[in-house]
């Protein structure tokens, strides 16, 4: 019998191997957690050729470390502490920063605890091919594992652990490289502790550990002049403060402690929400909070108190007698602050600062004129920030803020970086490269905003290219709206079929080794076709319809079976979930999935067998649903039409083939389906859509722009996609009531329509009933002007802007009576029809596949919290993609109009003039909408005008008499293209031509 010996570990050892801490549960209960850690002696150091550690290490640190630093001629390795990664990630990520780095487990865990976005960037950094980083698990190596001492705070324990690990590395290197008899002993490379904590450096030096600050280290590097600009302001304590940062009084109130903020929000005395800046008036912002129907208005810099667009802030609401209405004046930051000095701004006694203060005070006093009580809204001030939304912003250097424009000058200058977005404040920036960076798009990160500074301070990240160059503009668009655009990595591409573009649907039978045909329906003989916009490559839907012997009609929607190729929880799935959606720009597409899938294997091309997920209905001739079934299938599309081609084919009486008759059958059903939706209260809203004509596919230079034409076939496709989405939504909610991925559109608050209702009543004598979607649809139908056909479309566009955005959600997360889609008048809805370009559709495909018993549901889709987290990302990406698309159209419309204007000058014609409608009036201007081009513009007046806020009119001096302009009036505008001060892109500038020439105003 084998003898078993049980050894009891001594108490002294247990102290090191056991970790004890206290944790608070979600219900507020404090529990003690005891964790055992197993210490080892074989955790590798990661240095190439180490005699004691494992030699089979992929990508080890170089034997001699880095020999390129002035201070460490014998070679060195860098060991940064946690705060270096928290404050200086842009520096570490730079391609110019390449020393071998030892990354401690302690540091990784602390970064994860402090900032998840930075932790994700750090993880990506460890996988980067141009970095040499070794992760050392110091908490599991017996010589470097430490125990928290009595009365030692966690931060001090971690700092001590980092110093111990640094000391061990230096000892380990010297022990593994003993002197060899007869050979000259070469000095060993040094492991250098990089920390911004002066006390930590002092303790390190006392214990014989070499340490250095970030700035001192960078100053000794080869590319110091370029790298010093990347240092975050928080890490610049050693440099002399600017004049603007010394000896001046506070401009903003201090924030309340976080504990006070949370207690105040809980008690209902304070309110939490997202800060939204005003694009027309930089001195106003608002914070929507649940306690009030209208957002809390913040008037003036002091009340906005250093909040930046998207920050989660806490506000204190003033007494009701102090409530105000938003200002009617367009207040441009660039014009008001044009003489401000980046170096001196905010300094006590600064003349420019005094001038700015006087200007802003005048604007605020003028804007506080009396308005009807109905327009007043809660007014308050920011008393604290719960979470900053700071990130890298696309900017350009304000040339007027430079003290020297000599490109040879390497002196540090304090300059203004003006963000592309009008919703952001100017950023004060210290840089040695200012003259070189002029006329370039650059990335700038905000580091801090002190109470004594009028502007936030930040640091330069990298240059994107020259302003107005298409490459720089395109990248700046993607960065501005946080669109992930990196190329797909090897791990993702390895998830694709190994056959690549040679992959085909295998024949049925013994050659189907992957069981692709298992439970799939063979629909290859069904007459299926696709109808898409011109040039569409990612065809993810196709349709068919045929008469049944009983007189009913079979109609089918066939969607690309993306979930067959994108398997749950693999690298490709994770990347698709992070991207959320494909982003469509005018001349580019940022794909959610690798192009092999999106434009090839999953694209339902004609005459090619493709895997599909089919939704097939039996419908009566009156479009009543008799039955519906869902099946995985194999189809072979018979044609790929554009909307125009399908329309021509449908309308040609000479064509009587099966394919054409199928389109006619689908169209007749679509007309009836739409009529039923409208009768149920669906809204027929409008949004301005334009078509940009490009010179050629190669140059992608825009030469003209026109309104998109919508045909009957557009509606045909839309109706069947809606029918499929609704049918699938019912099925997955029935099967998975807690985690079904659905989409809803909440009814807008009635207060959203108050201004539009008032404008229609006072200018046109029309009423807008918003009691329900059906009532709104009916009243929109009667909002017509016999003399102006475009008026109804304009009202629909304005009504669309009063709506809330639709959103994805998990069915178990909200009450069932809030599932509905207001705009479609449907009780339940989802997205099923575009899995190539929307990740939500991929999840829906997986749930539907499980609902019909084709595949089991992956564990992640049984988790409500997991589905919620994924959909939060997808919702955000979807919003950003829409904004990026609109900004791309705006940029190209500007280029197209510029080209049109230049062509007109060549022909000797007058400037470009178009009809427009007034959609908003200000104290000093009007907002206009050019329906033909789908663009908005702002016409401002410098001379005095008479503004009637109550009746939405502005009276301007004309050549002979004063002219009154009201909302909904038709005007003629002159359209020119000039460089926008913020975006540095070509921007459409409009001036009135009729009823008055505003160029004289």
């Amino acid at each position: 019998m084998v003898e078993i010996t049980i050894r009891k570990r001594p108490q002294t050892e247990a102290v090191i191997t056991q970790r004890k801490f206290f944790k608070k549960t979600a219900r507020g209960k404090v529990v003690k957690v005891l964790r055992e850690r197993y210490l080892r002696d074989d955790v590798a150091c990661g240095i190439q050729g180490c005699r004691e550690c494992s030699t089979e290490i992929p990508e080890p640190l170089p034997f001699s470390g880095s020999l390129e630093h002035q201070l460490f001629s014998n070679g060195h390795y860098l060991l940064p502490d946690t705060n270096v990664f928290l404050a200086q990630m842009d520096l570490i990520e730079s391609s110019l920063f390449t020393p071998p780095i030892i990354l401690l487990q302690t540091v990784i865990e602390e970064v994860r605890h402090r900032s998840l976005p930075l932790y994700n960037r750090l993880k990506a950094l460890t996988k980067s091919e141009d970095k040499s980083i070794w992760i050392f698990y110091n908490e599991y190596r017996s010589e470097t594992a430490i125990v928290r001492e009595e009365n030692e705070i966690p931060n001090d324990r971690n700092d001590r652990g980092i110093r111990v690990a640094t000391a061990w590395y230096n000892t380990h290197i010297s022990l593994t490289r003993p002197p060899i008899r007869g050979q000259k002993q070469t000095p060993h490379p040094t492991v250098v502790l990089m920390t911004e904590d002066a006390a930590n450096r002092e303790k390190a030096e006392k214990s014989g550990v070499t340490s250095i600050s970030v700035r001192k280290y960078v100053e000794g590097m080869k590319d110091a002049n370029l790298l010093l600009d990347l240092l975050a302001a928080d890490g610049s304590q050693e440099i002399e403060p600017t004049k603007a940062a010394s000896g001046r009084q506070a401009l903003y109130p201090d924030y309340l402690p976080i504990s006070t903020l949370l207690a105040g929000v809980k008690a209902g005395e304070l309110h939490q929400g997202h800060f939204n800046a005003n694009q027309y008036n930089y001195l106003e912002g608002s914070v929507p909070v649940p306690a009030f129907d209208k957002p809390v208005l913040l008037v003036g810099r002091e009340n906005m108190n250093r909040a930046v667009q998207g920050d989660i802030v806490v506000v204190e609401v003033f007494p009701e007698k102090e409530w105000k209405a938003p200002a009617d004046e367009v207040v441009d930051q660039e014009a008001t602050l044009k003489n401000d000095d980046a170096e001196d701004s905010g300094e006590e006694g600064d003349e420019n600062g005094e001038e700015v203060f006087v200007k802003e005070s005048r604007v605020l006093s003028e804007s506080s004129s009396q308005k009807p009580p109905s327009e007043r809204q809660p007014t308050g001030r920011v008393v604290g920030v719960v979470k900053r939304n700071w990130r890298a912003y696309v900017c350009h250097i304000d040339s007027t803020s430079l003290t020297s424009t000599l490109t040879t000058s390497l002196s540090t200058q304090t300059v203004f970086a003006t963000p592309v977005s009008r919703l952001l404040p100017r950023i004060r920036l210290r840089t040695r490269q200012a003259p070189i960076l002029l006329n370039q798009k650059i990335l700038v990160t905000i580091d801090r905003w002190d109470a004594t500074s009028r502007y936030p301070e930040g640091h330069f990240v990298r240059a994107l290219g020259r302003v107005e160059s298409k490459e720089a503009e395109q990248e700046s668009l993607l960065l501005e709206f946080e669109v992930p655009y990196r190329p797909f990595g090897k791990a993702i591409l390895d998830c694709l079929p190994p056959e690549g573009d040679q992959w085909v649907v295998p024949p049925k039978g013994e050659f189907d080794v992957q069981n692709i045909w298992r439970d799939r329906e063979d629909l290859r003989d069904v007459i299926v076709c696709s109808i898409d916009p011109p040039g569409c490559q990612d065809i993810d839907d196709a349709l068919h319809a045929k008469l049944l012997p009983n007189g009913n009609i079979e109609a089918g929607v066939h969607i690309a079976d993306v979930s067959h190729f994108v398997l749950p929880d693999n690298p490709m799935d994770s990347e698709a979930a992070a991207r959320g959606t494909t982003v469509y720009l005018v001349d580019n597409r940022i794909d959610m999935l690798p192009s092999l899938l999106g434009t090839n294997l999953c694209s339902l091309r004609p005459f090619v067998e493709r895997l599909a997920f089919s939704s097939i209905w039996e419908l009566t001739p009156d479009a009543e649903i008799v039955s519906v079934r869902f099946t995985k299938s194999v189809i072979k599309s018979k044609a790929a039409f554009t909307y125009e081609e399908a329309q021509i084919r449908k309308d040609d009486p000479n064509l009587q083939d099966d394919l054409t008759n199928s389109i006619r059958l689908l169209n007749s059903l679509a007309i009836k389906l739409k009529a039923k939706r409208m009768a149920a209260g669906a809204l027929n809203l409008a949004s301005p859509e334009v078509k940009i004509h490009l010179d050629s596919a190669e140059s992608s230079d825009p030469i003209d722009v026109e309104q998109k034409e919508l045909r009957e076939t557009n509606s045909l496709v839309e109706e069947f996609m809606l029918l499929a989405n609704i049918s699938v939504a019912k099925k997955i909610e029935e099967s998975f009531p807690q985690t079904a991925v659905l989409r809803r559109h909440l009814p807008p608050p009635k207060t959203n329509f108050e201004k539009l209702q008032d404008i229609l009543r006072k200018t046109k004598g029309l009423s807008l009933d918003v009691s329900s979607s059906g009532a709104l649809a009916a009243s929109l139908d009667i909002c017509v002007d016999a003399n102006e056909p475009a008026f109804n479309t304009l009202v629909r566009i304005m009504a669309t802007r009063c709506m809330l955005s639709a959103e994805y959600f998990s069915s178990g997360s909200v009450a069932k009576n809030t599932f509905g889609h207001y705009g479609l008048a449907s009780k339940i809805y989802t997205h099923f029809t575009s899995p190539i370009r929307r990740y939500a559709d991929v999840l829906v495909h997986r749930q539907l596949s499980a609902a019909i018993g084709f595949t089991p549901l992956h564990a992640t889709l049984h988790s409500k919290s997991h589905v919620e987290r994924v959909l939060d990302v997808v919702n955000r990406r979807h919003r950003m993609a829409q904004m990026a698309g609109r900004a791309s159209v705006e940029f190209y419309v500007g280029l197209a109009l510029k080209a049109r204007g230049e062509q007109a000058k060549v022909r000797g014609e007058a400037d470009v003039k178009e009809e427009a409608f007034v959609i908003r009036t200000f104290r000093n201007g009007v907002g206009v909408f050019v329906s033909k081009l789908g663009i908005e513009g702002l016409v401002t007046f410098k001379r005095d005008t008479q503004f009637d806020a109550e009746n939405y009119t502005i009276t301007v001096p004309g050549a002979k008499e004063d002219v009154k302009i009201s909302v909904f009036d038709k005007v003629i505008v002159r359209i020119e293209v000039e460089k926008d001060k913020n975006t540095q892109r070509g921007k459409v500038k409009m001036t009135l031509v009729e009823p008055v020439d505003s160029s004289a105003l």
Side-chain angles (χ1 to χ4, degrees), residues 941-952:
F941 309 125
K942 301 235 176 354
R943 285 175 54 185
D944 288 341
T945 58
Q946 296 172 29
F947 178 61
D948 184 350
E950 201 165 336
N951 291 304
Y952 309 100

Side-chain angles (χ1 to χ4, degrees), residues 714-869:
N714 289 76
S715 180
L716 181 161
V717 174
E718 182 186 8
E719 289 306 318
F720 275 97
M721 296 306 113
L722 293 176
L723 183 64
N725 288 335
I726 292 168
S727 299
V728 170
K730 290 175 182 174
K731 180 69 176 177
I732 61 172
E733 196 276 328
E734 179 186 294
S735 302
F736 307 108
Q738 288 301 304
T739 58
V741 173
L742 301 176
R743 187 166 174 82
R744 66 175 179 172
H745 182 206
L746 292 171
K750 292 184 173 56
T751 52
N752 285 21
F753 287 96
E754 283 177 358
K755 193 153 194 171
L756 180 57
Q757 287 173 308
D758 197 43
I759 292 170
L760 283 168
R761 185 168 57 252
K762 288 175 177 173
T763 60
K764 296 288 184 180
L766 297 168
S767 62
L768 203 62
D769 185 352
V770 296
S771 57
S772 68
S773 62
L776 176 58
S779 43
L780 282 173
D781 286 341
I782 58 172
C783 281
V784 292
D785 183 337
N787 300 319
E788 188 46 67
F791 171 71
N792 184 258
T793 304
L794 182 63
V795 174
R796 290 181 190 276
I797 289 170
M798 294 173 76
T800 303
R801 294 176 183 182
C802 300
M803 300 286 175
L804 300 175
S805 296
E807 61 179 4
Y808 297 106
F809 69 100
S810 172
S811 56
S813 306
V814 301
K816 196 161 184 174
N817 60 0
T818 65
F819 280 15
H821 196 293
Y822 180 80
L824 299 174
S826 176
K827 290 180 181 177
I828 192 167
Y829 191 66
T830 192
H831 271 164
F832 162 75
T833 54
S834 295
I836 292 175
R837 60 185 178 90
R838 293 189 303 230
Y839 187 69
D841 300 51
V842 176
L843 298 180
V844 169
H845 275 232
R846 288 174 186 160
Q847 290 183 333
L848 183 62
S849 180
I852 63 172
F854 188 85
T855 52
L857 189 65
H858 192 263
T860 54
L861 287 176
H862 280 298
S863 166
K864 190 165 69 172
S865 60
H866 175 83
V867 174
E868 285 171 357
R869 274 197 309 275

